[in-house]
Amino acid sequence: QVQPVESGGGLVQAGGSLRLSCVASGRASSTINMGWFRQAPGKEREFVAAITWRGFSTDYADSVKGRFTISRDDAKDTVYLEMNSLKSEDTAVYYCAADLAVYGGRYNAYYWGQGTQVTVSS
């Protein structure tokens, strides 16, 4: 059983930065692939970033490439999302996810955090 817990959300002006954290201790096999998703009001949940065990590889949605960085510290069971050059369209609830997989060309996950709100003012 894995219960990701996010923190670090808040209000920031466009162009600013935030760092989100996610503690996701649990079954090792379920935390090999971790990631972040987000969902804005009236929008579908979308993939943001993914990272494999020990940060061997990463992947990002096109909309955040070059601005966001995902990292992890397995000794602390923690995954991070550094968000820079934030835009108003980045406003959403951000969810940490564990045990990611790809189905039909899209990322999915089996374990989800409760979400943390990120609001970018323009």
Side-chain angles (χ1 to χ4, degrees):
Q1 296 181 331
V2 177
Q3 181 61 64
V5 179
E6 310 95 332
S7 63
L11 175 65
V12 63
Q13 293 184 335
S17 301
L18 281 175
R19 186 185 74 164
L20 306 183
S21 299
C22 170
V23 177
S25 60
R27 186 183 302 138
S29 62
S30 297
T31 57
I32 292 175
N33 300 316
M34 301 289 299
W36 291 90
F37 293 73
R38 66 187 182 186
Q39 186 169 21
K43 305 294 183 180
E44 295 183 358
R45 182 177 59 197
E46 65 176 348
F47 164 75
V48 175
I51 187 167
T52 59
W53 182 52
R54 296 183 178 180
F56 182 75
S57 65
T58 58
D59 193 21
Y60 298 91
D62 289 340
S63 60
V64 305
K65 286 181 179 178
R67 300 189 298 118
F68 291 11
T69 301
I70 187 171
S71 62
R72 66 190 296 167
D73 185 342
D74 290 337
K76 299 180 179 179
D77 296 325
T78 303
V79 180
Y80 304 95
L81 184 68
E82 298 278 356
M83 304 184 293
N84 300 307
S85 301
L86 284 162
K87 306 174 181 179
S88 60
E89 53 262 43
D90 294 318
T91 295
V93 175
Y94 283 70
Y95 296 91
C96 180
D99 200 1
L100 270 66
V102 179
Y103 297 104
R106 297 179 62 85
Y107 280 94
N108 289 278
Y110 292 96
Y111 302 96
W112 301 89
Q114 80 287 346
T116 185
Q117 177 70 47
V118 172
T119 302
V120 183
S121 61
S122 60

